[in-house]
């Protein structure tokens, strides 16, 4: 080979290697998976592959030879482990295999599994980390992933059993706070542990109230009978008063026994949200967290109970300062959390804000710090061991008295710390998974509407999915999910049940929902850049996860004002539809061309608080206004009433548009009707029988000949058995049952058909309350910190 050609190939290879191969394994696998056999590859990938093949020929090293060498090395390490019994040496050999670039991914995944098993035999830490890495980085190795998942489940069970035994020996107590209505994230235990203040919600008005409950007698009294849904409240140190947030910007205080409240302080900034975080031990001040959406700044303030101007403790941008804090028992310091370079750590500040003491320095997430009643410890949540555990650090004043130590293992990703009482009772909130929601598909004959078999799961791990969207070719589904964890929803792509779903990395963005671009090389989403609060419509590449803005709005204000939401692709008009929050009662409606180049407002101030439903031809938009359904014309913005319902407990009124956008179907749970787009002609298709309901939304087949809907059997208001899927000709006729919901997920919600009419996707839910799949639980942990004399310097 000539020197010049060799140089060109070498330089091209380095360019290709740095741009493509040196991604994380998850990104690299996703890039490869997006070009299945039979689909043309991009030119640059062809060039890269040719270069790689050429270099392989030059070096004389083949992939097959590397695979054989890796397998031989794996067998040698297994011999050391199983025959020689030298587990620590075996771990070193396995790690070399994982770290070596020449080892195949299949061998590397198996080596990680062996590392986990070695650590288990040694009875030392490290097994979970190895198994977690298999699940996280080797989704293309299903056998290894399956083993790792099973071992993680076993380790979690063993950890629970071991800790239960430890509790009996050491006096550690973990108990649940249970009462009717306890399924709420907003609850605080009184300082003496005998009462709770909590947010009560109900379907009737007023929907939200603050209540106090005596845990011994069960006696309940209403403290504030009408408040917003997201409220914070805290007990005074003596338990006689409760401070709470009201109307977003006000701090109020009232007696725990009831009566009139009094205003302590209100933020003068229109875009501010105020959270009450804690009381000083003497009861003279409140610690408040203030988020100002106008300037994207968070602050911790000390607010006098008697009135007067607050005192600043610390401030930072939304991306830096977490609006969490607790005052030390001495009243001299505040513990909180700062983010820096994507990492959260515990910090302590004097109440006068004179300095900043960083308590934790680990690259993991350390958050939710709380002082022990004697001030000897700060306890916090951390994932430094691979999953969230309870940690503590001894404190001497504002300085750490030693390295952090783990107090309790395996809290899980669904646990938040919520408070510490004067008696040393740590309260925790868990988000239960219940029976996880899932996505199911069913094959349907596009001509007759007859099903082929029953529902089957589409994605492998799609729990609590929302906003599913089929790709243009119908081979993938993109969706959002929290995966049963606290935090923002994340974005995933499912290729079907034959392989794991892949996460599309969108860290740093709040994603409203997702849609595919028409080339299926990008996902498009309305969202918010968390760094600067910029609302916009963004596009993310499925090759390297690079995000670029298509259209930017202003900064998002309080109540999500200014944010774009509810992106839809409209197949008839070949445009996108989306909304923008502009106030508590109105939203703008926009149209965006298929290339994402132009954004045009088509409706001003649509009078709704919820997501709307655009017609596929882009000529109308349906929307809900309290207990009625309306349709607005895009051309003249005139609205017409489609229907009303009397059941005020029902809000899932989602209608279904015909594929041509000329008709709309909807149900009030008693009947299924079809109207024209102007809402002037109504046809009754089917009525619910006694002890049954027709639950929304109805879904039209792609050719417009059939409508699918779900029937739920009820007796005296209780769900009696699994949901049923029915089909009826859209022009009228006799309906027929096509499928039962899966036994594991008896509650269904139809969402969409695939474009060719062969598959109907549905969201399956657990057997609990219809429409819900998770619940909140509150726990109290006692006697969990080590005993000892109090260090000096408190």
């Amino acid at each position: 080979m000539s020197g010049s050609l060799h140089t060109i190939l070498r330089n091209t290879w380095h360019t290709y290697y740095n741009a493509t191969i040196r991604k994380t394994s998850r990104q690299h696998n996703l890039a490869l998976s997006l070009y299945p056999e039979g689909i043309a590859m991009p030119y640059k990938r062809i060039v890269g592959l040719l270069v790689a093949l050429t270099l392989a020929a030059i070096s004389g090293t083949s992939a097959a030879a590397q695979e054989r060498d890796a397998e031989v090395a794996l067998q040698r390490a297994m011999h050391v482990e199983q025959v020689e019994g030298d587990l620590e040496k075996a771990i070193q050999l396995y790690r070399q295999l994982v770290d070596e670039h020449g080892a195949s991914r299949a061998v590397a995944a198996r080596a990680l599994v062996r590392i986990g098993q070695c650590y288990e035999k040694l009875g030392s830490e490290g097994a979970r980390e190895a198994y977690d890495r298999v699940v996280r980085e080797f989704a293309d190795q299903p056998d290894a992933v399956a083993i790792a998942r099973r071992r993680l489940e076993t380790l979690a069970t063993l950890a629970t059993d071991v800790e239960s035994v430890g509790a009996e020996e050491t006096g550690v107590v973990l108990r649940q706070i249970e009462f009717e209505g306890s399924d709420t994230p907003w609850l605080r235990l009184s300082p003496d542990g005998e009462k709770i203040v909590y947010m009560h919600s109900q379907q009737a008005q007023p929907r939200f109230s603050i209540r106090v409950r005596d845990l011994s007698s069960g006696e309940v009294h209403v403290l504030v009978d009408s408040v917003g849904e997201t409220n914070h409240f805290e007990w005074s140190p003596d338990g006689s008063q409760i401070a709470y947030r009201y109307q977003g910007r006000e701090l109020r205080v009232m007696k725990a026994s009831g009566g009139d409240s009094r205003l302590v302080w209100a933020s003068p900034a229109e875009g501010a949200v105020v959270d009450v975080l804690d009381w000083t031990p003497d009861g003279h001040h409140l610690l408040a967290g203030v988020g100002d959406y106008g300037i994207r700044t968070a602050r911790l303030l000390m607010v006098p109970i008697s009135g007067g101007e607050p005192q600043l403790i610390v401030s930072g941008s939304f991306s830096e300062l977490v609006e969490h804090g607790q005052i030390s028992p001495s009243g001299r310091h505040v513990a909180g959390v700062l983010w820096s370079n994507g990492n959260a750590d515990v910090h302590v500040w004097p109440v006068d804000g004179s300095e900043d003491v960083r308590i934790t320095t680990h690259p993991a997430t350390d958050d939710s710090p709380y002082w022990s009643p004697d001030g000897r410890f700060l306890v916090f949540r951390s994932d430094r061991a691979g999953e969230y555990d309870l940690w503590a650090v001894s404190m001497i004043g504002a300085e750490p008295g030693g390295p952090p130590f783990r107090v309790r293992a395996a809290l899980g990703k669904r646990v938040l710390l919520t408070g510490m009482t004067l008696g040393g009772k740590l309260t925790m909130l868990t988000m239960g998974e219940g029976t996880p929601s899932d996505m199911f598909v069913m094959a349907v004959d596009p001509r007759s509407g007859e099903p082929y078999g029953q529902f089957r799961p589409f994605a492998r791990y799609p729990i609590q999915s929302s906003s599913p969207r089929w790709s243009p070719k119908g081979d993938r589904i993109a969706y959002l999910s929290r995966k049963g964890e606290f935090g923002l929803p994340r974005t995933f792509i499912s290729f079907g049940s034959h392989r794991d779903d892949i996460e599309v990395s969108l860290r740093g963005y709040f994603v409203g929902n997702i849609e595919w671009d028409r080339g299926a090389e990008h996902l498009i989403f309305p969202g918010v850049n968390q760094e600067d609060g910029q609302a916009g419509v963004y596009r993310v590449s499925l090759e390297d996860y690079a995000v670029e803005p298509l259209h930017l709005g202003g900064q998002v204000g309080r109540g999500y004002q200014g944010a774009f939401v509810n992106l839809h692709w409209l197949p008839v008009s070949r445009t996108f539809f989306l909304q923008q929050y502009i106030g508590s009662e109105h939203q703008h409606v926009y149209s965006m061309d298929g290339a994402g180049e132009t954004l045009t407002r088509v409706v001003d101030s649509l009078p709704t608080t919820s997501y709307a439903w655009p017609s596929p031809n882009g000529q109308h938009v349906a929307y809900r206004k309290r207990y009625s359904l309306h349709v607005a014309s895009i051309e003249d913005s005139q609205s017409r009433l489609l229907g009303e319902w009397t059941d005020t407990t029902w809000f899932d009124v989602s209608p279904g548009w015909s594929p041509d956008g000329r008709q709309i179907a909807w149900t009030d749970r008693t009947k299924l009707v079809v109207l024209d787009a102007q809402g002037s002609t109504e046809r009754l298709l089917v009525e619910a029988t006694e002890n049954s309901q027709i639950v929304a939304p109805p879904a039209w087949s792609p050719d417009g000949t059939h409508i699918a809907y779900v029937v739920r059997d009820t007796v005296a208001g209780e769900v009696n058995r699994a949901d049923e899927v029915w089909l009826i000709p859209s022009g009228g006729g006799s309906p027929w049952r096509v499928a039962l919901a899966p036994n594991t997920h008896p509650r269904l919600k139809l969402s969409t058909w695939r474009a060719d009419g062969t598959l109907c996707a549905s969201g399956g839910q657990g057997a609990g309350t219809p429409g819900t799949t998770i619940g909140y639980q509150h726990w109290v942990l006692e006697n969990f910190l080590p005993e000892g004399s109090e260090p000096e310097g408190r």
Side-chain angles (χ1 to χ4, degrees), residues 762-774:
S762 178
Q765 298 176 334
T769 304
T772 64
T773 57
I774 61 172

Side-chain angles (χ1 to χ4, degrees), residues 7-81:
T7 300
I8 292 172
L9 286 176
R10 183 190 61 199
N11 293 340
T12 305
W13 166 249
H14 282 305
T15 301
Y16 174 74
Y17 178 84
N18 289 324
T20 304
I21 301 300
R22 289 184 61 186
K23 296 180 180 352
T24 64
S25 58
R26 178 184 297 172
Q27 291 172 323
H28 182 50
N29 291 336
L30 175 59
L32 292 179
S33 67
L34 295 180
Y35 301 98
E37 189 174 357
I39 299 177
M41 292 184 178
Y43 175 77
K44 69 176 183 179
R45 188 167 297 281
I46 295 175
V47 172
L49 292 176
L50 288 174
V51 171
L53 290 173
T54 303
L55 289 180
I58 293 171
S59 65
T61 303
S62 68
Q66 293 179 1
E67 189 82 21
R68 286 194 298 271
D69 292 343
E71 184 64 35
V72 170
L74 178 66
Q75 293 302 320
R76 178 175 179 272
M78 291 176 64
H79 179 85
V80 172
E81 173 197 349

Side-chain angles (χ1 to χ4, degrees), residues 114-132:
R114 302 305 312 178
I115 289 173
Q117 292 171 339
C118 287
Y119 276 125
E120 286 193 65
K121 294 174 184 177
L122 289 169
S124 57
E125 298 292 337
R128 286 191 183 89
E129 181 180 355
Y131 296 141
D132 276 333

Side-chain angles (χ1 to χ4, degrees), residues 53 71 137 425 445 476 518 740 793:
L53 290 173
E71 184 64 35
E137 298 181 11
K425 298 175 181 179
D445 187 317
R476 289 162 282 165
R518 295 304 91 193
L740 281 172

Side-chain angles (χ1 to χ4, degrees), residues 652-668:
D652 192 9
V653 68
S654 310
W657 284 99
S658 63
D660 60 8
R662 297 178 180 178
Q663 300 179 83
I664 188 169
W666 79 287
T667 175
D668 63 357

